[in-house]
Amino acid sequence: MRASERWRRVAWPLAAACIGIVVVPITASDFVLLQIVIKSLWLGIAGASLAFLIGQAGLISLGQTAIFGTAGYMMAILTLSYGLNIWLAAACAVASGPVAGLLVGLLSSRSSGLYLMMLTLAVGVFAFFFGQQYQPITRGHTGFNGFESPVIGDVDFNERRPLFYVTAVAAVLIVVALRYVAGSPAGLAFRGLRDNRERLAALGYNPAAVTVAAFAVSGVAAGIGGVLSVWYNGAISPGSIDITRIIELLVVVTIGGAIRIEGAFLGALAVTLLRNFASDFTNRVETLVGAAFIIVVLFSRHGILGLWLEARSRAPQVFESLRGQLRPRSRAAAGPPAR
């Protein structure tokens, strides 16, 4: 694909995102902005780390919450336990994401398929029990509460609109960065790992090293998502990274579609909308989310985004078919006039 064509494909979504950043805080109510939009954005950032692994490298990881939680705990520990400057703590927390991803990648670099899923699940469960039981560092099952987001002059990130702007900009940057990596030579190696591991090795690549690199790249998104979740919730505890959150992240990516990075944000928005509005008429919200998950999986292997891409690809054919049916028949086709 030429650079100009690649830029055209990115320019329209980027322009739409910029317009959304300007319009949404003006038009949305405080409830929608805080409970729907901001939550969908930081959850989508965390989901983007998993969507990148699945869509680009073919690695179904159940340990992304461990990476996510590492960054969140690092943020809270450095700030609340050691009194470190909040921006320096945020930088260290974001940096801990790819480091944690590197460690998870090293542990699972020699495995694939079901074995990789089980190894990464073990990592995620280990992170949960470590956070719950190692009280001197993590404060046990209560975790950290009362976290205050940073303040710059008159801009308080504890308020809805400043928090929306920083979360939205982070989401756009994550999508642009991950799509750039996907289009780079490293992205080709990741897709080679996804499509044919043996052929990738025959071309001179080390599949284990490519696996570790993919986890490290995804760790950047997971780390940023972990920091933003602490800013949003004002707290982090083992309940933030338990087995329910592991499943939730997988559901978000599956419903949205891992075929592209943006699918994670669609899935996060769908799950957040269901949980907020379904509670008005039923107490079985998780059952409803599970039903939505089953329906999407049955009708589209690539989630909501897959349905949209399929509909868009078929639209020109449908349009041409309608034009052919509505076009008036020629005299020759209609036959000789009646006498």
Side-chain angles (χ1 to χ4, degrees):
M1 184 184 298
R2 296 179 180 178
S4 58
E5 184 179 352
R6 186 186 305 169
W7 167 248
R8 283 196 299 270
R9 291 183 61 179
V10 174
W12 285 109
L14 188 60
C18 292
I19 294 171
I21 291 175
V22 175
V23 172
V24 168
I26 299 173
T27 57
S29 65
D30 288 343
F31 170 80
V32 171
L33 191 63
L34 183 64
Q35 297 295 332
I36 304 297
V37 180
I38 300 177
K39 185 174 181 179
S40 298
L41 285 172
W42 69 255
L43 183 59
I45 291 174
S49 68
L50 180 57
F52 176 82
L53 283 177
I54 296 175
Q56 295 299 314
L59 302 171
I60 304 177
S61 170
L62 301 180
Q64 293 306 103
T65 52
I67 305 171
F68 170 90
T70 297
Y73 266 106
M74 183 70 71
M75 181 79 213
I77 290 169
L78 293 178
T79 306
L80 299 179
S81 297
Y82 294 98
L84 195 66
N85 175 272
I86 193 167
W87 293 109
L88 183 57
C92 293
V94 171
S96 71
V99 172
L102 188 71
L103 294 176
V104 176
L106 285 171
L107 287 172
S108 54
S109 61
R110 300 291 179 181
S111 59
S112 61
L114 177 63
Y115 299 101
L116 184 138
M117 289 178 61
M118 297 308 297
L119 271 172
T120 53
L121 176 61
V123 171
V125 174
F126 169 80
F128 165 72
F129 282 110
F130 182 87
Q132 190 176 51
Q133 298 175 0
Y134 205 73
Q135 295 187 16
I137 295 179
T138 63
R139 298 187 182 179
H141 68 277
T142 59
F144 293 85
N145 298 284
F147 181 87
E148 293 291 333
S149 299
V151 178
I152 304 177
D154 296 331
V155 181
D156 186 357
F157 288 98
N158 292 290
E159 297 179 358
R160 295 173 178 83
R161 280 168 176 76
L163 183 59
F164 164 76
Y165 287 124
V166 71
T167 308
V169 170
V172 172
L173 292 177
I174 283 296
V175 171
V176 171
L178 291 180
R179 291 193 68 168
Y180 175 81
V181 172
S184 68
L188 291 175
F190 294 149
R191 289 193 292 277
L193 183 70
R194 176 194 66 190
D195 296 336
N196 196 314
R197 198 180 186 96
E198 290 74 19
R199 183 173 295 178
L200 182 70
L203 291 173
Y205 289 90
N206 184 342
V210 176
T211 299
V212 173
F215 271 97
V217 172
S218 73
V220 177
I224 293 175
V227 170
L228 291 174
S229 75
V230 175
W231 288 16
Y232 176 82
N233 294 307
I236 186 169
S237 67
S240 306
I241 55 173
D242 61 7
I243 189 68
T244 304
R245 303 297 159 247
I246 294 173
I247 296 172
E248 178 185 42
L249 206 60
L250 189 61
V251 168
V252 161
V253 173
T254 305
I255 287 179
I259 189 172
R260 290 187 183 177
I261 306 300
E262 295 86 344
F265 295 92
L266 285 176
L269 179 61
V271 170
T272 304
L273 286 171
L274 277 174
R275 284 189 171 156
N276 276 277
F277 294 109
S279 58
D280 293 339
F281 56 86
T282 180
N283 293 325
R284 302 182 181 277
V285 177
E286 298 303 326
T287 303
L288 190 60
V289 172
F293 173 80
I294 293 172
I295 292 171
V296 170
V297 170
L298 286 175
F299 285 95
S300 174
R301 57 176 297 193
H302 295 303
I304 297 173
L305 185 59
L307 290 173
W308 160 251
L309 293 175
E310 184 179 358
R312 192 178 68 174
S313 65
R314 290 184 177 181
Q317 301 174 4
V318 174
F319 181 71
E320 286 298 326
S321 176
L322 290 174
R323 284 186 59 186
Q325 294 177 8
L326 297 175
R327 188 178 298 142
R329 300 174 63 187
S330 64
R331 292 177 60 90
R339 294 182 180 178

